[in-house]
Amino acid sequence: MKTKIAVFDSKEYDIASFENANADGRYEVKFYETKLTEDTVNLTAGYDAVCVFVNDTVNDKVIDRLVDNNVRLIALRCAGYNNVDIEYAYGRIHVVRVPAYSPYAVAEHAMALLLTSIRRIHKAYIRTRDFNFSLSGLTGFDLHGKTVGVVGTGKIGRVFIDICKGFGMNVIAYDKFPAKDSGINYVTLDEIWEKSDIISFHCPLTDETRHVVNAGSIDRMKKGVVIINTSRGALIDSEALLEGIKDRKIGAACLDVYEEESDVFFHDFSGHIIEDDTLARLISMPNVIVTSHQAFLTAEALSNIADTTFSNVEQFFAEGVCDNELCYKCAKVGSCPQEHKKLCF
Ligand code: NAD
């Protein structure tokens, strides 16, 4: 019997990479365009596993319905798992993820946003398409010699640090669990706020990091600071960010993620009236660049995501273990260290 997997929130690029990774037809895969929510969870009846992404809802009610439907595995096709109630899942249903697929994809996108923003490439692109070759208002600044504060020095944060070093930047970093012998110049979070010309976030969204950028922290930052968020939207209090931009305190914001992104990102709303006033106002600012959670979107990353998702499913159902299992006990210290050769429950 083939393992049956229901893939939610699937886009054409997901389908292409998953079909490629499943070219031999080992798995029976159903792609749903809809997100997994309390309203759509009934679609999981008859499946062994569900595959979800960053904006699917996997709360207690959804988990109960998955268990009722005899679904045995939640396979995240992403690294972050803030949308899954892993504490509630413990003892009920196993959760696995793709811990790394291309830290380069995300770190390079963060740098692309930064360069675009500070060299006004987004403005220049539109001007020259209209044969406007004026340079007025396009003055940028050198990255060389500037101080960048990196919050979160895991896989993506470290690649971003290396990229910044290549630009001759002075890198300082904060991590709740600093990497030993890494040569990284760790400082306190307060020093990040106070010393950085640019701050880039590469930590997970947790109770501790939710709204870590707020009116208070913005107050401590340098005037003209550039904020980059390719991690999770709710690290930033969007209202406070908007106020910081209107006060001219924040020089620029580069956002690949947004705290209320789930109803908007990944969809085409051109020609519609956006209900979210904060997002609309942010997008209207000349010094804000928004991409819709696309930092991961490279051919290499998509291929790795599909391969790792299938190998997670295979290991779980064939061997009764999974190296990439998530459980809330292990997650408290990062992600599951898997020192035990068994499932977490
Ligand atoms: P990782 O687990 O390798 O690194 C995360 C780092 O954050 C770790 O070093 C950890 O110690 C640190 N950390 C944990 N709690 C912290 C806290 N309270 N304050 C500061 N640091 C803390 O993860 P990664 O692969 O580098 O990914 C980082 C984040 O990037 C993910 O959590 C995810 O939210 C986001 N991400 C976004 C995209 C995208 O497309 N935009 C793609 C992949 C990942």
Side-chain angles (χ1 to χ4, degrees):
M1 283 274 282
K2 288 184 185 179
T3 305
K4 294 174 78 175
I5 310 168
V7 182
F8 284 84
D9 201 12
S10 38
K11 302 284 182 278
E12 94 285 344
Y13 45 81
D14 298 309
I15 296 171
S17 57
F18 272 66
E19 285 187 341
N20 192 37
N22 189 36
D24 59 3
R26 267 176 307 152
Y27 301 97
E28 192 176 320
V29 184
K30 171 83 178 173
F31 295 101
Y32 288 112
E33 202 178 324
T34 179
K35 290 192 193 57
L36 180 63
T37 65
E38 290 165 33
D39 295 330
T40 62
V41 66
N42 282 345
L43 295 169
T44 64
Y47 288 92
D48 304 300
V50 290
C51 177
V52 297
F53 197 48
V54 294
N55 290 326
D56 291 289
T57 304
V58 194
N59 60 16
D60 52 350
K61 294 186 187 70
V62 169
I63 289 169
D64 281 342
R65 293 293 297 129
L66 291 173
V67 173
D68 288 348
N69 284 347
N70 294 322
V71 176
R72 291 177 54 209
L73 184 68
I74 298 167
L76 284 156
R77 58 178 188 281
C78 50
Y81 49 87
N82 51 284
N83 55 329
V84 181
D85 188 340
I86 54 169
E87 184 161 355
Y88 192 76
Y90 188 84
R92 293 182 168 87
I93 186 167
H94 293 276
V95 185
V96 298
R97 67 167 178 158
V98 179
Y101 39 87
S102 172
Y104 310 104
V106 182
E108 289 170 15
H109 191 78
M111 181 49 86
L113 287 173
L114 175 60
L115 284 171
T116 302
S117 166
I118 66 157
R119 301 309 302 271
R120 318 280 189 257
I121 305 296
H122 55 309
K123 298 281 169 201
Y125 174 76
I126 290 168
R127 275 191 200 182
T128 55
R129 288 181 71 82
D130 201 26
F131 303 103
N132 173 356
F133 301 107
S134 156
L135 294 184
S136 179
L138 298 185
T139 309
F141 63 81
D142 291 4
L143 286 180
H144 188 271
K146 295 295 183 301
T147 295
V148 58
V150 177
V151 180
T153 58
K155 293 174 283 299
I156 297 169
R158 284 200 227 183
V159 175
F160 187 71
I161 287 173
D162 287 345
I163 293 172
C164 290
K165 285 184 175 164
F167 276 80
M169 300 171 81
N170 169 38
V171 181
I172 57 175
Y174 171 77
D175 195 300
K176 192 177 174 191
F177 309 101
K180 292 191 185 84
D181 306 323
S182 59
I184 295 171
N185 181 12
Y186 285 108
V187 298
T188 63
L189 208 44
D190 279 342
E191 286 175 281
I192 294 280
W193 306 149
E194 286 158 14
K195 293 185 174 167
S196 304
D197 302 299
I198 295 140
I199 304 174
S200 192
F201 291 92
H202 302 287
C203 60
L205 175 62
T206 62
D207 290 344
E208 230 172 323
T209 60
R210 183 175 300 275
H211 285 189
V212 67
V213 174
N214 53 46
S217 53
I218 290 172
D219 209 38
R220 305 186 77 135
M221 291 177 197
K222 281 187 175 180
K223 185 171 166 52
V225 64
V226 179
I227 294 178
I228 310 166
N229 189 6
T230 56
S231 195
R232 284 293 182 267
L235 296 180
I236 296 180
D237 176 343
S238 312
E239 295 288 344
L241 179 75
L242 189 54
E243 285 309 311
I245 290 166
K246 282 158 73 178
D247 291 347
R248 279 53 171 184
K249 178 73 188 272
I250 293 169
C254 305
L255 309 174
D256 185 52
V257 285
Y258 173 66
E259 60 180 327
E260 301 298 333
E261 72 180 44
S262 64
D263 291 335
V264 185
F265 281 15
F266 307 136
H267 300 286
D268 182 358
F269 282 103
S270 53
H272 293 253
I273 291 164
I274 288 284
E275 299 288 338
D276 186 328
D277 287 351
T278 308
L279 179 61
R281 188 81 170 99
L282 281 170
I283 288 174
S284 77
M285 294 288 179
N287 52 353
V288 174
I289 297 183
V290 174
T291 52
S292 44
H293 210 135
Q294 83 175 66
F296 74 99
L297 195 64
T298 66
E300 292 81 357
L302 288 171
S303 167
N304 290 338
I305 287 170
D307 288 344
T308 306
T309 300
F310 282 126
S311 71
N312 282 344
V313 171
E314 175 160 350
Q315 206 190 3
F316 176 82
F317 285 102
E319 300 171 30
V321 292
C322 185
D323 295 337
N324 294 324
E325 182 174 17
L326 269 177
C327 81
Y328 87 98
K329 292 186 176 173
C330 301
K332 284 188 174 160
V333 290
S335 71
C336 183
Q338 288 286 342
E339 279 155 7
H340 45 76
K341 290 275 170 264
K342 57 185 175 57
L343 289 168
C344 290
F345 59 87

